[in-house]
Amino acid sequence: MKKTLTLLALVCASQLTSAQTNSESLFEGINLSVGASQIKTKETSAGTESFKTTAGVAKINYTFALAYPAKLGVTATMDLKNAKAGTNEVLASKTPSELTIEPGILLQSNSLLYAKLGTFAARYESNTDGRALSGKTVGLGIKHYIYENNFLQFEWTKRTSDAQNAGLANAKYKQTSPSLLFGYTF
């Protein structure tokens, strides 16, 4: 994970030296991004347990233009690895794992600050049980174009499971994950 983040940071830093001011139209249309995320899962039933998982993340987004400086994105996110949720339990990723709308505002000609609001889906799996799991997703992110159609994206996301389908009686799951992604706008 550290090597991946270091490599991604070096690639992005080398691109920053030749960064150019881009027009607001870069934030409109379809874009793809991939990166790494550190998922921290908290399970609460009788007590609270925390587990960390490093996972790859892929996103596909379509952004619409609104009245300047506002933008609205629609995103599907795919976690590329299951998240550890207990000693013998995982929250298995589904495709897509998140569907969100992302209202945003241009900060300057090549940066966009946005919020994430939506739902997530996973599957609770243990040695003896398996159930569908869903809930809500909220978060914040920033997307910064570093060179032409290439951008660097940082997000912080919080996922909270619905109580009635959290896998075990009275169990709730909360996930927080910072993500660093590199993407391209078509």
Side-chain angles (χ1 to χ4, degrees):
M1 172 66 183
K2 289 181 183 178
K3 290 179 183 178
T4 303
L5 289 177
T6 302
L7 178 62
L8 187 59
L10 288 173
V11 168
C12 294
S14 68
Q15 294 292 325
L16 285 175
T17 60
S18 59
Q20 301 173 356
T21 303
N22 297 307
S23 69
E24 65 181 82
S25 65
L26 280 176
F27 292 98
E28 299 166 11
I30 193 163
N31 61 72
L32 301 172
S33 55
V34 294
S37 181
Q38 179 72 39
I39 302 170
K40 182 177 179 183
T41 304
K42 284 187 179 182
E43 182 269 327
T44 56
S45 52
T48 300
E49 293 182 288
S50 293
F51 303 92
K52 288 186 179 179
T53 307
T54 302
V57 178
K59 299 172 70 77
I60 185 166
N61 169 276
Y62 190 87
T63 303
F64 301 91
L66 300 176
Y68 182 82
K71 302 288 182 181
L72 181 64
V74 179
T75 302
T77 303
M78 287 71 68
D79 292 346
L80 304 177
K81 183 178 177 182
N82 295 342
K84 188 170 176 64
T87 306
N88 296 311
E89 304 166 335
V90 296
L91 296 184
S93 61
K94 287 188 170 183
T95 300
S97 53
E98 278 182 9
L99 293 173
T100 56
I101 59 168
E102 299 175 349
I105 187 164
L106 292 172
L107 298 179
Q108 46 182 310
S109 62
N110 59 347
S111 293
L112 176 74
L113 179 66
Y114 60 92
K116 293 176 58 171
L117 306 165
T119 63
F120 83 94
R123 181 159 174 79
Y124 166 83
E125 294 179 357
S126 70
N127 292 339
T128 59
D129 196 11
R131 297 184 185 164
L133 178 71
S134 63
K136 63 183 175 183
T137 298
V138 296
L140 290 173
I142 189 163
K143 188 184 292 185
H144 180 76
Y145 279 85
I146 53 177
Y147 183 73
E148 294 181 358
N149 292 5
N150 300 300
F151 62 86
L152 182 64
Q153 184 174 6
F154 177 77
E155 285 186 348
W156 178 84
T157 305
K158 179 180 177 182
R159 298 173 178 168
T160 308
S161 69
D162 295 333
Q164 61 267 42
N165 63 8
L168 301 170
N170 299 321
K172 291 185 181 179
Y173 293 92
K174 290 183 182 177
Q175 288 185 324
T176 54
S177 60
S179 301
L180 181 62
L181 303 109
F182 184 74
Y184 184 83
T185 298
F186 294 93

